[in-house]
Amino acid sequence: FCTSVLEVAMEVGGGKGSEEGKSKFLLINESDGSDNEIEKAPLLKGKSGKSGKEVREINDAVLVPSPTQLWSIRALWFFLGATNPFPGVALRFYMVNDLGASPHLQALIGVLSGFAWNLKMPVAFASDVIPVGGYRRKPYLYFGLAIYMFSFMGLAVFPPGYGTATVFMSLSTLGQMMAGVMCDTLIVENMRHESAATRGKLQTECWILMTLAGIGGTLAGGFVFAAPSMTNSRVFMINALIKLLVVPFAFMLVENPIPPPIAGTPAESALSTASRRGTEMWEALKQASVWQPTLFIFLFSIFPNPGTAMTNFFIEDLGFGEEELSYIAVVASVSGALGMGIYYRYFKEYNWHWFFATVIILSAGLSLTQLLLVLHVNRRWGVPDLAFALGDDAIVDVTCSLLAMPILILIASICPAGVESSLYAFVTSVQVAGGTVGGTISAGLIEGFGITLHNYDRLWQLVLLCALAKLLVLPFIPMLPTNLNNIEVGEKSWKGAALISVLLVGGICWALGQASYKLARES
């Protein structure tokens, strides 16, 4: 760790072996994006006559990332990707076998346990204004890992129950969310150092690494679950312990500590910092280049999907076991990584309006191939259920990734300097809020179509409806920029900022209220 810190100082300040490199850091001033060499001694020892405004600008400066830092970020994403999906198979069978939850009840528990994803913005904002031990990112990353481990230990120890499962699954989501927010922040802070030709490169690489690493985690989770005498509880305990693999790479990250107050200058209070950051966020949200794409992302996320019902269909109707489900998850990971790579390699320079319209229409059409599996048409063609499910899943996931990757890059690109972490988390929280509303709508449709653990007669209607619903987002594509190099600030609108804020808060409250009521009724 100490070697990494010294290498960063020497490489970016003046090269290895240079005395000047040992005494200076090259920093980027967020106010204008210019390169400024700031003396390390005044910055760390607090001996300077700079004004309070200048001090805040220095505190907002970010180290130019060294190769060591960039590879640490990639390694962190890789090992998080390898450990996150490990308990996936055990959780699915825990819901069906241990809890005996019906499909729509599973969907509702999923909504409640996934609620923590809507807290991304408060966590990111807290990391911006409330440093722990002089650091803004790494302590919150450690907290997230600790909460995640505790939650799965709880699932392993306590007997199954709707309330117990919901509480501990919610805590696991909270821990995973906190770690994820810090990882997202590392990418957003480093994206501004990329040129127009390489914009999104680090983000694409990290997502591909995380997705491919998920293959190993998914396979390992499935094979461990299938081992003799293995139970869900034992898998949960193993999952809690293997999260320790992430810790060494978290320690390797180099974070610039917050310097102490300059002599003679009063320290800025947390309340004052929060007020300043809040004002900066509101001004950023009023920009058309921010609120219009955010509104599109919300609308894109609210449409329902048959995911929960299809998973139960695989288990109960087609008779898939843990091994088959692991194969499907692996294909989904490979297809997702392939779609991300295809987008960055071949389509990132294309006109986004035409690209999104084409892929959305293709995605809707290809989603209809699930009807062949639901209606068992593949059996009449002599195609095994597993082979058809794998092929169908691969096609659908490639198209989904082609849509997801540009959205992820867009979110990171529209965040102005100074509020990257909070604003990125806000926009992704709006996306999650839309997904939460969509999940609640999906649960209502599953119940409305009468789909249960043993009745899938109308599943084909749900698949058809969800596929056609994707087309409803086409009229809103003009809200997006034509490409990353053509993001215009446009006129500011407080109404636009207020609209997406209301959608975030209203979507969270509505979905949580509906899910809580139905969960209490079922219990």
Side-chain angles (χ1 to χ4, degrees), residues 10 215 259 364 387:
M10 294 171 63
I215 297 174

Side-chain angles (χ1 to χ4, degrees), residues 394-426:
I395 295 173
V396 172
D397 282 310
V398 167
T399 56
C400 288
S401 294
L402 287 174
L403 292 173
M405 200 64 241
I407 287 178
L408 290 170
I409 297 175
L410 172 64
I411 294 174
S413 299
I414 63 178
C415 295
V419 289
E420 302 97 325
S421 178
S422 298
L423 190 59
Y424 184 89
F426 181 92

Side-chain angles (χ1 to χ4, degrees), residues 421-433:
S421 178
S422 298
L423 190 59
Y424 184 89
F426 181 92
V427 177
T428 53
S429 294
V430 171
Q431 182 182 26
V432 172

Side-chain angles (χ1 to χ4, degrees), residues 96 101-103 106 307-317 453 456:
V96 174
S102 61
Q106 292 179 45
T308 303
M310 286 298 296
T311 298
N312 287 285
F313 175 76
F314 288 157
I315 296 174
E316 299 295 333
D317 190 275
L453 284 174
Y456 300 97

Side-chain angles (χ1 to χ4, degrees), residues 374-388:
V374 171
L375 299 175
H376 301 299
V377 175
N378 61 291
R379 294 178 179 177
R380 294 198 292 269
W381 293 349
V383 181
D385 291 337
L386 179 60
F388 193 90

